[in-house]
Amino acid sequence: MVSQQSAEHYIWGEKCDGWHLVKSKNLSVIQERVPAGCYESRHFHQQAEQFFFILSGIATIELEEKVFTLTSNQGLHIPAGAKHQVSNQHQGDLVFIVTSTPPSHGDRFET
């Protein structure tokens, strides 16, 4: 069993949090928190495909120059090789789950 309290925690960007819920050779499941006004840099993964599922807040996801706005209980699939960027352009925290297979760490290329 795993929870946010028992998962390995890390900080990314200036103020964002991540918790490794599953961290194996073939699968990564991470819960992330992005405060208002924060974002990740645009990037892609050569091998990993990802699925972002919003738990709370509003996510703005740019995927190959298309912009998607997702709210609670909505998700978006990111194919391998697709340029993308997640941001929180709204008030309040954005909390989501990102699932990657294979894991995306070490497979990230800035654009």
Short mmCIF file of all heavy atoms in Angstrom, two decimals, residues 45-96:
data_model
loop_
_atom_site.label_atom_id
_atom_site.label_comp_id
_atom_site.label_asym_id
_atom_site.label_seq_id
_atom_site.Cartn_x
_atom_site.Cartn_y
_atom_site.Cartn_z
N HIS A 45 9.60 13.22 -24.51
CA HIS A 45 10.25 11.97 -24.11
C HIS A 45 10.35 11.08 -25.34
O HIS A 45 9.36 10.89 -26.05
CB HIS A 45 9.44 11.26 -23.02
CG HIS A 45 9.14 12.13 -21.85
ND1 HIS A 45 10.07 12.40 -20.87
CD2 HIS A 45 8.02 12.82 -21.51
CE1 HIS A 45 9.52 13.21 -19.97
NE2 HIS A 45 8.29 13.48 -20.34
N GLN A 46 11.54 10.56 -25.63
CA GLN A 46 11.70 9.70 -26.81
C GLN A 46 10.99 8.37 -26.64
O GLN A 46 10.41 7.86 -27.59
CB GLN A 46 13.19 9.46 -27.09
CG GLN A 46 13.88 10.65 -27.68
CD GLN A 46 15.32 10.35 -28.05
OE1 GLN A 46 15.98 9.48 -27.47
NE2 GLN A 46 15.83 11.08 -29.02
N GLN A 47 11.05 7.79 -25.45
CA GLN A 47 10.50 6.45 -25.22
C GLN A 47 9.19 6.46 -24.46
O GLN A 47 8.30 5.65 -24.74
CB GLN A 47 11.52 5.59 -24.45
CG GLN A 47 12.87 5.45 -25.12
CD GLN A 47 12.79 4.74 -26.45
OE1 GLN A 47 12.06 3.78 -26.59
NE2 GLN A 47 13.53 5.23 -27.43
N ALA A 48 9.08 7.30 -23.46
CA ALA A 48 7.94 7.24 -22.53
C ALA A 48 6.70 7.88 -23.12
O ALA A 48 6.75 8.97 -23.69
CB ALA A 48 8.30 7.94 -21.22
N GLU A 49 5.58 7.20 -22.96
CA GLU A 49 4.29 7.82 -23.17
C GLU A 49 3.72 8.10 -21.79
O GLU A 49 4.06 7.41 -20.82
CB GLU A 49 3.35 6.96 -24.01
CG GLU A 49 3.04 5.61 -23.44
CD GLU A 49 2.11 4.81 -24.36
OE1 GLU A 49 0.98 5.25 -24.61
OE2 GLU A 49 2.55 3.76 -24.81
N GLN A 50 2.88 9.11 -21.70
CA GLN A 50 2.38 9.54 -20.40
C GLN A 50 0.87 9.75 -20.43
O GLN A 50 0.29 9.99 -21.50
CB GLN A 50 3.05 10.85 -19.96
CG GLN A 50 4.54 10.72 -19.77
CD GLN A 50 5.16 12.00 -19.27
OE1 GLN A 50 4.99 13.05 -19.88
NE2 GLN A 50 5.86 11.93 -18.15
N PHE A 51 0.28 9.66 -19.24
CA PHE A 51 -1.13 9.98 -19.08
C PHE A 51 -1.26 10.87 -17.85
O PHE A 51 -0.85 10.48 -16.76
CB PHE A 51 -1.97 8.72 -18.91
CG PHE A 51 -3.44 9.03 -18.77
CD1 PHE A 51 -4.18 9.46 -19.86
CD2 PHE A 51 -4.08 8.90 -17.55
CE1 PHE A 51 -5.53 9.75 -19.74
CE2 PHE A 51 -5.42 9.19 -17.41
CZ PHE A 51 -6.16 9.62 -18.52
N PHE A 52 -1.78 12.08 -18.06
CA PHE A 52 -2.01 13.04 -16.97
C PHE A 52 -3.48 12.96 -16.58
O PHE A 52 -4.35 13.09 -17.45
CB PHE A 52 -1.68 14.46 -17.43
CG PHE A 52 -0.21 14.71 -17.61
CD1 PHE A 52 0.44 14.35 -18.78
CD2 PHE A 52 0.53 15.32 -16.61
CE1 PHE A 52 1.79 14.58 -18.96
CE2 PHE A 52 1.88 15.56 -16.77
CZ PHE A 52 2.52 15.18 -17.94
N PHE A 53 -3.76 12.79 -15.29
CA PHE A 53 -5.13 12.72 -14.78
C PHE A 53 -5.28 13.73 -13.66
O PHE A 53 -4.57 13.65 -12.65
CB PHE A 53 -5.47 11.31 -14.29
CG PHE A 53 -6.92 11.16 -13.96
CD1 PHE A 53 -7.86 11.00 -14.97
CD2 PHE A 53 -7.36 11.21 -12.65
CE1 PHE A 53 -9.21 10.87 -14.67
CE2 PHE A 53 -8.70 11.09 -12.33
CZ PHE A 53 -9.64 10.92 -13.35
N ILE A 54 -6.18 14.68 -13.83
CA ILE A 54 -6.32 15.80 -12.90
C ILE A 54 -7.17 15.38 -11.70
O ILE A 54 -8.30 14.89 -11.86
CB ILE A 54 -6.96 17.02 -13.59
CG1 ILE A 54 -6.22 17.36 -14.89
CG2 ILE A 54 -7.00 18.21 -12.63
CD1 ILE A 54 -4.72 17.48 -14.79
N LEU A 55 -6.62 15.59 -10.49
CA LEU A 55 -7.35 15.32 -9.26
C LEU A 55 -8.08 16.57 -8.77
O LEU A 55 -9.23 16.51 -8.34
CB LEU A 55 -6.41 14.81 -8.18
CG LEU A 55 -5.68 13.50 -8.50
CD1 LEU A 55 -4.70 13.16 -7.39
CD2 LEU A 55 -6.65 12.37 -8.74
N SER A 56 -7.40 17.73 -8.82
CA SER A 56 -8.02 18.99 -8.41
C SER A 56 -7.30 20.15 -9.07
O SER A 56 -6.15 20.02 -9.48
CB SER A 56 -8.01 19.15 -6.88
OG SER A 56 -6.69 19.20 -6.39
N GLY A 57 -8.00 21.26 -9.20
CA GLY A 57 -7.44 22.42 -9.86
C GLY A 57 -7.71 22.37 -11.36
O GLY A 57 -8.49 21.55 -11.85
N ILE A 58 -7.04 23.26 -12.08
CA ILE A 58 -7.20 23.36 -13.53
C ILE A 58 -5.82 23.30 -14.17
O ILE A 58 -4.95 24.11 -13.85
CB ILE A 58 -7.91 24.68 -13.91
CG1 ILE A 58 -9.28 24.76 -13.24
CG2 ILE A 58 -8.05 24.79 -15.43
CD1 ILE A 58 -9.95 26.11 -13.38
N ALA A 59 -5.64 22.36 -15.07
CA ALA A 59 -4.37 22.21 -15.78
C ALA A 59 -4.49 22.79 -17.17
O ALA A 59 -5.49 22.58 -17.86
CB ALA A 59 -3.99 20.74 -15.88
N THR A 60 -3.46 23.50 -17.58
CA THR A 60 -3.32 23.92 -18.97
C THR A 60 -2.18 23.08 -19.53
O THR A 60 -1.06 23.16 -19.04
CB THR A 60 -3.02 25.42 -19.08
OG1 THR A 60 -4.09 26.14 -18.46
CG2 THR A 60 -2.89 25.86 -20.53
N ILE A 61 -2.49 22.26 -20.53
CA ILE A 61 -1.47 21.40 -21.12
C ILE A 61 -1.35 21.76 -22.59
O ILE A 61 -2.32 21.68 -23.35
CB ILE A 61 -1.82 19.90 -20.96
CG1 ILE A 61 -1.96 19.55 -19.48
CG2 ILE A 61 -0.73 19.05 -21.63
CD1 ILE A 61 -2.33 18.09 -19.22
N GLU A 62 -0.15 22.18 -22.97
CA GLU A 62 0.14 22.41 -24.38
C GLU A 62 0.73 21.12 -24.93
O GLU A 62 1.70 20.59 -24.41
CB GLU A 62 1.14 23.56 -24.54
CG GLU A 62 1.41 23.87 -26.00
CD GLU A 62 2.46 24.94 -26.19
OE1 GLU A 62 2.50 25.89 -25.40
OE2 GLU A 62 3.25 24.81 -27.14
N LEU A 63 0.10 20.59 -25.97
CA LEU A 63 0.52 19.35 -26.60
C LEU A 63 0.64 19.59 -28.10
O LEU A 63 -0.37 19.83 -28.77
CB LEU A 63 -0.49 18.23 -26.31
CG LEU A 63 -0.29 16.91 -27.05
CD1 LEU A 63 1.08 16.30 -26.70
CD2 LEU A 63 -1.41 15.94 -26.72
N GLU A 64 1.88 19.61 -28.59
CA GLU A 64 2.12 19.82 -30.01
C GLU A 64 1.38 21.06 -30.52
O GLU A 64 0.67 21.00 -31.53
CB GLU A 64 1.74 18.57 -30.81
CG GLU A 64 2.66 17.39 -30.58
CD GLU A 64 4.08 17.60 -31.10
OE1 GLU A 64 4.27 18.33 -32.10
OE2 GLU A 64 5.01 17.05 -30.49
N GLU A 65 1.51 22.16 -29.80
CA GLU A 65 0.98 23.47 -30.15
C GLU A 65 -0.55 23.58 -30.02
O GLU A 65 -1.11 24.61 -30.38
CB GLU A 65 1.46 23.91 -31.53
CG GLU A 65 2.98 24.02 -31.61
CD GLU A 65 3.48 24.50 -32.95
OE1 GLU A 65 2.69 25.06 -33.74
OE2 GLU A 65 4.69 24.33 -33.21
N LYS A 66 -1.22 22.54 -29.52
CA LYS A 66 -2.64 22.64 -29.18
C LYS A 66 -2.72 22.81 -27.67
O LYS A 66 -1.96 22.20 -26.92
CB LYS A 66 -3.40 21.38 -29.57
CG LYS A 66 -3.63 21.23 -31.05
CD LYS A 66 -4.52 20.03 -31.30
CE LYS A 66 -4.78 19.87 -32.78
NZ LYS A 66 -5.63 18.70 -33.04
N VAL A 67 -3.66 23.64 -27.20
CA VAL A 67 -3.80 23.90 -25.78
C VAL A 67 -5.08 23.23 -25.27
O VAL A 67 -6.16 23.42 -25.84
CB VAL A 67 -3.83 25.41 -25.49
CG1 VAL A 67 -4.05 25.68 -24.01
CG2 VAL A 67 -2.52 26.06 -25.95
N PHE A 68 -4.92 22.45 -24.19
CA PHE A 68 -6.03 21.76 -23.56
C PHE A 68 -6.18 22.29 -22.13
O PHE A 68 -5.19 22.48 -21.44
CB PHE A 68 -5.78 20.25 -23.50
CG PHE A 68 -5.65 19.61 -24.85
CD1 PHE A 68 -4.43 19.57 -25.50
CD2 PHE A 68 -6.76 19.06 -25.48
CE1 PHE A 68 -4.31 18.99 -26.76
CE2 PHE A 68 -6.65 18.48 -26.73
CZ PHE A 68 -5.42 18.44 -27.38
N THR A 69 -7.41 22.51 -21.71
CA THR A 69 -7.70 22.90 -20.34
C THR A 69 -8.45 21.74 -19.69
O THR A 69 -9.53 21.36 -20.16
CB THR A 69 -8.55 24.18 -20.30
OG1 THR A 69 -7.83 25.22 -20.96
CG2 THR A 69 -8.81 24.61 -18.86
N LEU A 70 -7.86 21.16 -18.65
CA LEU A 70 -8.43 20.00 -17.98
C LEU A 70 -8.79 20.34 -16.54
O LEU A 70 -8.04 21.06 -15.88
CB LEU A 70 -7.44 18.82 -17.98
CG LEU A 70 -7.23 18.11 -19.30
CD1 LEU A 70 -6.32 18.90 -20.20
CD2 LEU A 70 -6.63 16.74 -19.05
N THR A 71 -9.90 19.79 -16.08
CA THR A 71 -10.33 19.96 -14.70
C THR A 71 -10.44 18.59 -14.05
O THR A 71 -10.15 17.57 -14.66
CB THR A 71 -11.68 20.71 -14.64
OG1 THR A 71 -12.66 19.96 -15.36
CG2 THR A 71 -11.56 22.10 -15.24
N SER A 72 -10.88 18.57 -12.80
CA SER A 72 -10.96 17.33 -12.02
C SER A 72 -11.63 16.21 -12.81
O SER A 72 -12.63 16.43 -13.49
CB SER A 72 -11.76 17.57 -10.74
OG SER A 72 -11.10 18.50 -9.93
N ASN A 73 -11.03 15.02 -12.69
CA ASN A 73 -11.53 13.80 -13.32
C ASN A 73 -11.44 13.82 -14.84
O ASN A 73 -12.16 13.08 -15.50
CB ASN A 73 -12.95 13.48 -12.85
CG ASN A 73 -12.97 13.19 -11.37
OD1 ASN A 73 -12.15 12.43 -10.87
ND2 ASN A 73 -13.88 13.82 -10.66
N GLN A 74 -10.52 14.61 -15.39
CA GLN A 74 -10.24 14.59 -16.82
C GLN A 74 -8.77 14.23 -17.01
O GLN A 74 -7.92 14.54 -16.17
CB GLN A 74 -10.53 15.95 -17.47
CG GLN A 74 -11.99 16.30 -17.48
CD GLN A 74 -12.25 17.63 -18.18
OE1 GLN A 74 -11.50 18.59 -18.03
NE2 GLN A 74 -13.33 17.67 -18.96
N GLY A 75 -8.47 13.59 -18.14
CA GLY A 75 -7.10 13.18 -18.41
C GLY A 75 -6.70 13.43 -19.85
O GLY A 75 -7.55 13.69 -20.71
N LEU A 76 -5.40 13.34 -20.11
CA LEU A 76 -4.87 13.53 -21.46
C LEU A 76 -3.68 12.59 -21.66
O LEU A 76 -2.77 12.55 -20.82
CB LEU A 76 -4.44 14.99 -21.66
CG LEU A 76 -3.96 15.36 -23.05
CD1 LEU A 76 -5.12 15.27 -24.06
CD2 LEU A 76 -3.38 16.77 -23.06
N HIS A 77 -3.69 11.88 -22.78
CA HIS A 77 -2.59 10.98 -23.15
C HIS A 77 -1.56 11.78 -23.94
O HIS A 77 -1.90 12.53 -24.86
CB HIS A 77 -3.14 9.84 -24.01
CG HIS A 77 -2.09 8.94 -24.55
ND1 HIS A 77 -1.87 8.80 -25.89
CD2 HIS A 77 -1.17 8.16 -23.92
CE1 HIS A 77 -0.87 7.94 -26.08
NE2 HIS A 77 -0.42 7.55 -24.90
N ILE A 78 -0.28 11.60 -23.59
CA ILE A 78 0.83 12.25 -24.28
C ILE A 78 1.64 11.14 -24.95
O ILE A 78 2.33 10.37 -24.27
CB ILE A 78 1.74 13.04 -23.31
CG1 ILE A 78 0.94 13.97 -22.40
CG2 ILE A 78 2.83 13.77 -24.09
CD1 ILE A 78 0.27 15.13 -23.08
N PRO A 79 1.59 11.03 -26.27
CA PRO A 79 2.38 9.99 -26.95
C PRO A 79 3.89 10.25 -26.83
O PRO A 79 4.32 11.41 -26.69
CB PRO A 79 1.94 10.10 -28.41
CG PRO A 79 0.67 10.89 -28.40
CD PRO A 79 0.76 11.79 -27.20
N ALA A 80 4.68 9.21 -26.92
CA ALA A 80 6.14 9.37 -26.94
C ALA A 80 6.51 10.27 -28.11
O ALA A 80 5.92 10.18 -29.19
CB ALA A 80 6.80 8.00 -27.07
N GLY A 81 7.46 11.16 -27.88
CA GLY A 81 7.93 12.06 -28.91
C GLY A 81 7.15 13.35 -29.03
O GLY A 81 7.59 14.26 -29.74
N ALA A 82 6.00 13.46 -28.35
CA ALA A 82 5.17 14.66 -28.46
C ALA A 82 5.68 15.76 -27.53
O ALA A 82 5.88 15.53 -26.33
CB ALA A 82 3.72 14.33 -28.14
N LYS A 83 5.87 16.96 -28.06
CA LYS A 83 6.29 18.10 -27.24
C LYS A 83 5.11 18.55 -26.39
O LYS A 83 3.99 18.69 -26.90
CB LYS A 83 6.77 19.24 -28.13
CG LYS A 83 8.01 18.88 -28.92
CD LYS A 83 8.37 19.97 -29.89
CE LYS A 83 9.54 19.51 -30.76
NZ LYS A 83 9.79 20.44 -31.86
N HIS A 84 5.38 18.77 -25.09
CA HIS A 84 4.29 19.15 -24.19
C HIS A 84 4.80 19.97 -23.02
O HIS A 84 5.99 20.00 -22.74
CB HIS A 84 3.54 17.91 -23.68
CG HIS A 84 4.40 16.95 -22.92
ND1 HIS A 84 5.28 16.08 -23.51
CD2 HIS A 84 4.50 16.74 -21.59
CE1 HIS A 84 5.89 15.35 -22.59
NE2 HIS A 84 5.45 15.75 -21.40
N GLN A 85 3.85 20.64 -22.36
CA GLN A 85 4.15 21.48 -21.20
C GLN A 85 2.89 21.60 -20.35
O GLN A 85 1.80 21.86 -20.86
CB GLN A 85 4.58 22.87 -21.66
CG GLN A 85 4.88 23.82 -20.53
CD GLN A 85 5.29 25.20 -21.04
OE1 GLN A 85 4.86 25.64 -22.11
NE2 GLN A 85 6.14 25.88 -20.29
N VAL A 86 3.04 21.40 -19.04
CA VAL A 86 1.94 21.53 -18.09
C VAL A 86 2.14 22.82 -17.31
O VAL A 86 3.26 23.12 -16.87
CB VAL A 86 1.90 20.35 -17.11
CG1 VAL A 86 0.83 20.54 -16.06
CG2 VAL A 86 1.67 19.04 -17.87
N SER A 87 1.04 23.58 -17.14
CA SER A 87 1.11 24.80 -16.34
C SER A 87 -0.17 24.97 -15.53
O SER A 87 -1.20 24.39 -15.85
CB SER A 87 1.35 26.02 -17.23
OG SER A 87 0.27 26.23 -18.11
N ASN A 88 -0.03 25.76 -14.46
CA ASN A 88 -1.17 26.14 -13.64
C ASN A 88 -1.36 27.64 -13.79
O ASN A 88 -0.69 28.42 -13.14
CB ASN A 88 -0.94 25.76 -12.19
CG ASN A 88 -2.11 26.11 -11.30
OD1 ASN A 88 -3.10 26.69 -11.75
ND2 ASN A 88 -2.01 25.76 -10.03
N GLN A 89 -2.29 28.03 -14.65
CA GLN A 89 -2.53 29.44 -14.94
C GLN A 89 -3.72 29.97 -14.16
O GLN A 89 -4.26 31.02 -14.50
CB GLN A 89 -2.75 29.62 -16.44
CG GLN A 89 -1.57 29.17 -17.27
CD GLN A 89 -1.82 29.24 -18.76
OE1 GLN A 89 -2.78 29.84 -19.22
NE2 GLN A 89 -0.94 28.59 -19.53
N HIS A 90 -4.12 29.25 -13.12
CA HIS A 90 -5.31 29.60 -12.36
C HIS A 90 -4.96 29.72 -10.87
O HIS A 90 -3.87 29.35 -10.45
CB HIS A 90 -6.40 28.55 -12.57
CG HIS A 90 -6.75 28.41 -14.03
ND1 HIS A 90 -7.67 29.21 -14.64
CD2 HIS A 90 -6.27 27.59 -14.99
CE1 HIS A 90 -7.76 28.89 -15.92
NE2 HIS A 90 -6.91 27.91 -16.16
N GLN A 91 -5.90 30.19 -10.08
CA GLN A 91 -5.69 30.30 -8.64
C GLN A 91 -5.83 28.93 -8.01
O GLN A 91 -6.56 28.08 -8.50
CB GLN A 91 -6.69 31.27 -8.03
CG GLN A 91 -6.49 32.69 -8.50
CD GLN A 91 -7.45 33.65 -7.84
OE1 GLN A 91 -8.34 33.26 -7.10
NE2 GLN A 91 -7.27 34.93 -8.10
N GLY A 92 -5.13 28.72 -6.92
CA GLY A 92 -5.18 27.45 -6.20
C GLY A 92 -4.23 26.44 -6.80
O GLY A 92 -3.74 26.59 -7.92
N ASP A 93 -3.96 25.40 -6.03
CA ASP A 93 -3.04 24.35 -6.47
C ASP A 93 -3.66 23.48 -7.55
O ASP A 93 -4.87 23.23 -7.57
CB ASP A 93 -2.67 23.44 -5.29
CG ASP A 93 -1.72 24.10 -4.31
OD1 ASP A 93 -1.15 25.17 -4.63
OD2 ASP A 93 -1.54 23.55 -3.22
N LEU A 94 -2.81 23.00 -8.44
CA LEU A 94 -3.14 21.96 -9.41
C LEU A 94 -2.55 20.66 -8.88
O LEU A 94 -1.36 20.61 -8.56
CB LEU A 94 -2.54 22.30 -10.77
CG LEU A 94 -2.48 21.18 -11.80
CD1 LEU A 94 -3.89 20.70 -12.17
CD2 LEU A 94 -1.71 21.65 -13.03
N VAL A 95 -3.37 19.62 -8.75
CA VAL A 95 -2.89 18.32 -8.28
C VAL A 95 -3.30 17.29 -9.31
O VAL A 95 -4.47 17.23 -9.72
CB VAL A 95 -3.47 17.96 -6.89
CG1 VAL A 95 -2.98 16.60 -6.42
CG2 VAL A 95 -3.11 19.04 -5.87
N PHE A 96 -2.33 16.47 -9.75
CA PHE A 96 -2.63 15.46 -10.77
C PHE A 96 -1.75 14.23 -10.58
O PHE A 96 -0.76 14.25 -9.84
CB PHE A 96 -2.45 16.04 -12.18
CG PHE A 96 -1.05 16.54 -12.48
CD1 PHE A 96 -0.10 15.71 -13.03
CD2 PHE A 96 -0.71 17.85 -12.22
CE1 PHE A 96 1.18 16.17 -13.32
CE2 PHE A 96 0.56 18.34 -12.51
CZ PHE A 96 1.50 17.49 -13.06
#
